[in-house]
Amino acid sequence: MTMVQEMTDQTAPKRGATQRPGLGEIVRRRPEIVTLTILVVICVAVAIINPNFLQPGSLIDMGRASVVTGLFALGVFAILAAGGIDVSFTAIAALTMYSLTSFVIGVAPGMPMGAIIAIAVVAGALLGAVNGLLVHGLRVPSLIVTIGTQYLFRGILLAFVGTVWLMELPPQMTAFGKAALFQFEGMNGVTVDLPAYFLIFPAVVALAWFLFDRTLMGRAIFATGGNPEVAARLGYGQRIVHVFVFGFAGALAGLAGIIHVSATRMANPFDLVGMEIEVIAAVVLGGARITGGTGSVLGTVAGVLLITVVNNTLVLVGIPSTWQRVVVGAFILLAAAFFVRRAPKPQKRKAE
Amino acid sequence: MSDGHFLELRGIHKRFGGVHALRGVDVTIDTGVAYHLLGENGCGKSTFIKIISGAHPPSEGEILLDGRSHAELSPIQSLEAGIETVYQDLSLLPNLSVEENVALGEQLVSGGGRLMRRLNRARLRETAREAIRGVGLDSTPSLLATSVSDLPLAIRQRVAIARAIAADARLVIMDEPTTSLTRHEVEALIELVGQLLARDVAVLFVTHKLEECYRIGGQAIVFRDGQCIAQGPLEDYSRAELSHLMTGRELDTMRYRTGAPMAGEVLRVEGASSGAAFEDVSFGLDRGEVLGITGLSDSGRNEVALALAGHQPLTAGQIAIDGAPVHLDSPGAAIARGIGYVPEDRLSEGLFLQKSIYQNEVTLILDKLMGAGGIVDKRKGREAAREISEAMNLNTGDIDMPVSALSGGNQQRVLIGRWLSIEPELLVLHGPTVGVDVGSKDTIYRAIQAMAERGIALVIVSDDLPELLQNCDRILVMNNGRVVDALDAATADEDRIYQSMLGSEHEAA
Amino acid sequence: QEGKSITTVVKISGIPWFDRMKTGVDMYAEQHPEMDIEQVGPASADSAQQLQIVQDLVARGVDALAVVPMDPAILEGVLKRAMDRGIVVVTHEADNQKNTMVDVEAFDNAEYGAALNERLAECMGGEGKWTTFVGSLGSRTHMQWVGAGEENAKQYEGMELVDPNNESFDDAQGTYEKAKEILRKHPDIKGFQTSAGNDVLGVGRAIEEAGLAGKVCLVGTGLPNPSAAYLDSGAITAIGFWDPQKAGMAMNSVATKLLAGEEITDGMDLGVEGYGNVSVRDGAGDGLLVIGNGMVLADKDTYEEHLF
Amino acid sequence: MLSALIVLLLAVGGLASGGNYLSVYNLQSMANQVPEIGLLAIGVMLAMCSGNGGIDLSGIALANLSGVASGLFALSLFPVDEAPVLFTLTFAAGCAVVGLLGGILNGLLISRFGITPILCTLGTQMFFTGVAVVLSGGRSVTIGSPDALYALGNGLVFGVPASFVIFIGVALVLGGVLRFTPYGMKLMLTGANPKAARFSGFPQARIVTVTYAISGLLAGLAGVIIAARNVNVKWDYGTTYLLIAILVAVMAGVRPEGGYGRVVNVVLSAITLQLLSSLLNFIGLSNFVRDFAWGALLLCFLAVGRFGLVEQLLIFFSPRRGKARASKT
Ligand SMILES: Nc1ncnc2c1ncn2[C@@H]1O[C@H](COP(=O)(O)OP(=O)(O)OP(=O)(O)O)[C@@H](O)[C@H]1O
Ligand SMILES: Nc1ncnc2c1ncn2[C@@H]1O[C@H](COP(=O)(O)OP(=O)(O)OP(=O)(O)O)[C@@H](O)[C@H]1O
Ligand SMILES: [Mg+2]
Ligand SMILES: [Mg+2]
């Protein structure tokens, strides 16, 4: 029938072009492939310069170092996918991890680790939900709202909760931070543990994948990022979407905070705040557009690994400390240049 | 108290701040019937359908759904009742796949709008496949997985309708569904509507194209100034009666083109090709001449227009202005050569919606207005803007009003009027009256003719054949990237043009 | 000194080091109830923020400022203006500060760096690869300490400095990761000399987790309380420090004397432990450099004498 | 609204400090602190106005780099004490050049290479900082205080700090440029709808490049003022300015999605934050309270804006809407 013919005519590249999608097309549709490619190239380059990189220990270290950033990044990804941006998640993490740790120490020293984690997640989610409600209720770009709440949360933490470092963690937290899945023995008797908390990261990745790909909420998030007005018209409740994505990011931030405390074996209220831009950069390097509606969980993980590898191999490849910033800055610019997609933007006809 | 009506609206009022958009509207809708909601720009049509679809709560009045009374509907309530709306922008989610756009709604609504539910991918695919077939598309996995933003407009339109089918709609509302379709595609749409009606679905059209209404048949609902002033079977009203009801004025369907081309060739396109878009296109244009270009949406007509405007580089051939070859590699270059272009999609490509009329009108002459010290001479600029708004007959004298507060027709006039400021040699108008009501069309056509009188050469790219016949000297028909026919507009008829548009495709088939 | 005010401005509020200093300032305030004595500091480690605070204090019209500059150079301008307005200016940890009346140092920075390194060399047996950490390349005192350490290590043929001057940003987590990377790159590394207060914690954790406690030596600046666990486990060989409490009191004591118009002389007793017999030299500018003997090196066996 | 807040803060400050807060010296001192952050915030505003997710994270890094690079360059040419005027001129010009070049780099990367602004300026932020570290070896660079520079950092013009006068001058000029010149109008239109700007034939790449270049130039100027005020420049100065500059801009009502922003509001907003922060220092509250207050203030602003208290009043008194409707045929 003619309509079908016309359709195939129009969707296929016109006259002369092959059916195989070009490189640019792949990059546009599956940007995470670019991230993975860059990641592989960097790893190979580092391994050539310094074969020590290939020890299992060093890979484990990368994995371990990426847990906190990775959790943050998955939260940021949810928000970017819905068309927002968040700079307050580090403050949420700091506020929950510190308040909770001092609560456990002072009031309920025997609280089981599971309960601590659950409380951290819930508290983070609540703080995140505040963001979501503000973004929805005030109808202002989330960048502005979360700058406000970042100052607010950090102010509350340092002005009203406390600034004293907590060095003596409750034993269950220390144990949680130290518990090892397995150990490697390297040269020189160096042992490398894969900590048990590392498992949380893949678990959350799986959860996030399920959420984004297999639930209505996941689709609603992308729908909102694609065009919020249309999404609202089609019945995707915008308030619940906003509250959910910010709550989700908050929950992951709370979790990341408590892992950070357990891993570093101290609760320092000054920690974490300041890494937000780097986390956002990781997510964007993973292929999520800052304008929303795109990206994938896999890409986000790749972006996090990329940033982690670059940050953790500077010494390994022998870049003197004075030059490290230049190298990292130049790297971000180069990687960003790879992402430049000149493909036409989706043609949006605005609602009346 | 159910008397069998599907949907009944009683005494609906809607106020936006101080604006009284709907003033006591009563409308009844039954399933299996087509309705045509008619009225001038700004009379409240969109507002009305937004109230039915739950996008706006009414300020006053009652909505009866299957006999049950509601003060207002939420989007989910409306969807649950089987009311599906295909807005003018199609309301598709550009970044989601076709199958998701088509079939997500069904799962959303069956879950009462709750989002924290598992998505049944298998059911999603099944529903989508069926609905896609229902609108006459091939439901291949690759089509189902394509994101909507990668599809051409006509296919998107069908995807939007497929969504209504997938949701087992009882009422499908379409806000100006045919504005962006070629005639060929309109036929297919009308066929689809017939199928919907046969399945006892109600269809409510918002449209400005009367001939299409008659082809579909059904009931007319006429709005004027926020009130429903007539509802009844279409065949009870003649075209003139409907126009009169809508505008309160008499309009005649005359040929607007009265002048004639003047001496001196302005434009010459010679053997122009651009990649796969069009090939070996040649034509010339005199001062004050109005040339129409038409064809199916993929015939290359759009790209020819874009090439003239400096948006689409040529790969072969050349374009000459006043006999001198020009290299149009950017919009700026085209403007510098005195070529203006009015894009079809005025909201996203043409206008700075939140900015004032003044700012929209002076965009092209900012550099010219620059006076001493690099400062824009605001007095002169405002003068120019005021002149334009008078020449284009804008319905407001307040040039500081944001363009977003104007109706579609007035917005289009602002957009066309912008070019008066630079007195172009050639003006390319792409779909100049898309989505504009009869009254505004009249004003726009008069403005077009006035420009031709001033010696401006005009190219109108459109698939509104009456529009071309009424306004042009000559009409070029394109098909498959080539010019296949050139006709004298005064003597041409719609059928002949239509045949040429489809020409080769029919032969091939 | 009835009613005179002295405000101590620290690098950052809230961190243990300056909380400890605050106990000293508070103690001094208790001893001098007739004066108005307080301590303030910025919320983040940024010299621009500290500059703002000092500037506002100058405008408010305090009588004396006791400043621990985040970055002495950045404060030169405002401290000059303060002195022009007749405000007494005392500094600490800024032996290169030009615009100050008296800079109080707990010890000679070069001696301190050398002492740390000497302790490290002793642990390493004068042999093997070692590296250094600084809070930031911009921290002058840290660079002085590692510089003096490097100088000191030249006495030992066998000591080889590798990948020096890693930046820790005083962040235990970042330091930990960097230390692991170094352990991987140089599996045979024997020693770390660190500078910022948190560095020993990060490096100590890396050493401990690698099972190298007692095998790799770590000497650096740190506070006894936070370091206790790592000292016990042997992951930290020794920490060096001075007591900020005493330093805070010493600064305030000098400020009080200046307010009273007293001279600061060599061998003077500031009435604070470790500053009983200070040596006085000419400072970097027109002011004086007052050096106490507040250096403490503590290890597993001795740190308990200094718990704070 | 910002002006009302400024008056309120001054009044509260005056009462709480027994008038000390309103002393000429303190007013001068506060005015002296505004320009650095104010200039950077105007830079952020320009980037935001250009639309397409525009933002400039590299401002303070570029300010520091310009101070360091130009300082080292000028020091290598002239001894400060022997040729103070020549030195100052070279230094200031050098800062402007470095700032401009850095800004152009940002602009080209964003407009020609199409790199997302937030990633681009994050990358250049690290890059600029890194170059400053390499050049200075991580140490601060002493510019010294030749008379001209000293006058700029500490001098008064009719009782107003010279740096503040310069800041206001720059703000006035830029405000005028944005409102009255073709460039400024094009910038705002481009930010409001890039597609329509393309169809209007605006040279978009050039507009964006120029905008980031101006932002860079402002950073260079901030570099001069920092050097003048502090005698020294250093690569890690003002790391907290990154977020504060954005805070100032959004509090001034600049829309992050582009097309709208007014310089005068940015100036008022910078002054407001300065007054608040100095006030808290005056009454001796901890600086953590300041963070809290800033956050709360911003959110209050948004709430007031959302529920449109001020606009409702304005609309009520403005005949425009009624007229528009009435004139519809
Ligand atoms: N969001 C809004 N805010 C304020 N007023 C509005 C809004 N939407 C519509 N209006 C008012 O409602 C009136 C009717 O608008 P509506 O969009 O329903 O007209 P329409 O009949 O759809 O016109 P068109 O044919 O141009 O689409 C307008 O004149 C306008 O004054
Ligand atoms: N946000 C708004 N504020 C004020 N008035 C509005 C708003 N949105 C729409 N309107 C009003 O709605 C009326 C119709 O606008 P609408 O957008 O429906 O026109 P349109 O859809 O472009 O025209 P058409 O439907 O004929 O193509 C206009 O008169 C305008 O005044
Ligand atoms: Mg409408
Ligand atoms: Mg409409």
Side-chain angles (χ1 to χ4, degrees), chain A residues 1-7 9-11 14-15 25 28-29 210-211 213-217 219-220 222-223 225-227 230-237 240-241 244 293-294 346-352, chain B residues 46 50 75-76 79 87-89 91-96 100 104 107-108 114-119 121 136-138 149-152 155-156 158 163 175 180 184-185 276 279 297-298 345 347-348 480 505:
Chain A
M1 116 171 244
T2 39
M3 203 62 206
V4 175
Q5 250 174 27
E6 195 175 305
M7 195 279 305
D9 270 6
Q10 285 168 343
T11 38
K14 285 194 186 159
R15 219 172 295 177
E25 186 60 18
R28 193 171 68 85
R29 290 212 185 152
F210 179 80
L211 182 83
D213 218 57
R214 288 285 183 268
T215 68
L216 276 175
M217 179 54 91
R219 297 292 95 193
F222 278 98
N227 187 338
V230 169
R233 263 190 237 149
L234 295 181
Y236 299 98
I240 179 80
V241 169
F244 181 85
T294 57
Q347 189 191 352
K348 269 191 212 162
R349 300 200 67 189
K350 275 215 74 185
E352 44 196 306
Chain B
S46 299
K50 281 175 188 162
I76 275 293
L79 291 166
Y87 285 93
Q88 225 170 321
D89 62 358
S91 295
L92 292 173
L93 294 159
N95 54 333
L96 297 191
E100 288 170 334
L104 271 178
Q107 298 198 23
L108 178 69
R114 275 175 299 116
L115 291 173
M116 291 316 292
R117 293 175 64 246
R118 185 150 179 198
L119 177 67
R121 284 259 170 199
L137 293 177
D138 223 3
S149 57
D150 294 338
L151 293 177
I155 305 291
R156 283 192 227 176
R158 306 209 132 211
R163 183 180 62 213
D175 194 354
S180 34
H184 178 56
E185 293 157 355
E279 215 174 342
S297 58
D298 64 343
D345 187 352
L347 292 190
S348 77
N480 212 12
E505 204 172 305

Side-chain angles (χ1 to χ4, degrees), chain C residues 13 41 43-44 46-49 51-53 55-56 58-60 71 73-74 76-77 81 85 136-138 167, chain D residues 20 25-26 29 32-33 138 140 154 229-230 232 234-235 237-241 244 277-278 281-282 287-288 290:
Chain C
S13 311
S44 351
D46 177 7
S47 48
Q49 297 298 324
L51 172 68
Q52 285 212 358
I53 292 178
Q55 187 152 356
D56 285 335
V58 172
R60 192 172 96 186
D71 190 334
I74 296 300
E76 293 292 6
R81 263 169 280 150
R85 277 181 59 108
S136 135
L137 292 171
E167 290 185 281
Chain D
N20 207 347
Y25 185 85
N26 186 47
S29 150
N32 202 4
Q33 296 180 46
S140 60
N154 306 283
R229 204 152 74 93
N230 304 337
N232 294 277
K234 190 145 170 255
W235 58 272
Y237 178 80
T239 43
T240 49
Y241 282 3
I244 299 178
S277 132
S278 291
N281 279 339
F282 251 69
N287 268 266
F288 304 124
R290 185 194 71 168

